[in-house]
């Protein structure tokens, strides 16, 4: 579960969908991004800092995954990474 601290997420941003499970109260923030946009990167960073989620999932195509992992293969960012085919 995400932190119960007050969250100041840019709710009015059309790129953010905030979903809540009515039974469990579990929250999911889905952020639409453009891979090469500094604005998207800032929105994602600010949302993560504000929400302080337990987990972050990133969708990347195969070529981007390959590029990122070659540049930083031992990064702790990849701990527990799962890939889908």
């Amino acid at each position: 579960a995400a932190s119960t601290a007050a969250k100041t997420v840019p709710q009015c941003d059309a790129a953010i969908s905030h979903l809540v499970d009515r039974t469990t109260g579990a929250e999911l923030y889905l952020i639409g991004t453009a891979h090469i946009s500094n604005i998207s990167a800032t929105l994602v960073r600010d949302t993560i800092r504000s929400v302080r989620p337990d987990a972050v999932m990133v969708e990347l195509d195969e070529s981007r995954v390959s590029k990122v992992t070659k540049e930083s293969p031992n990064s702790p960012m990849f701990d527990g990474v799962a890939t889908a085919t």
Side-chain angles (χ1 to χ4, degrees):
S3 169
T4 56
K7 299 172 189 167
T8 55
V9 178
Q11 297 291 335
C12 61
D13 194 298
I16 299 176
S17 296
H18 179 207
L19 309 172
V20 180
D21 183 305
R22 293 180 188 187
T23 304
T24 66
E27 296 178 282
L28 173 77
Y29 289 85
L30 182 63
I31 306 170
T33 64
H35 287 289
I36 59 171
S37 167
N38 287 334
I39 293 170
S40 286
T42 299
L43 177 63
V44 170
R45 182 200 63 212
D46 292 349
T47 302
I48 290 170
R49 286 180 177 170
S50 176
V51 173
R52 301 183 53 81
D54 292 333
V56 174
M57 292 183 268
V58 178
E59 177 274 327
L60 294 173
D61 61 39
E62 208 172 312
S63 65
R64 285 189 175 91
V65 169
S66 178
K67 182 177 189 256
V68 171
T69 55
K70 284 179 184 171
E71 290 175 1
S72 307
N74 297 319
S75 172
M77 173 174 63
F78 300 113
D79 291 348
V81 168
T83 58
T85 56

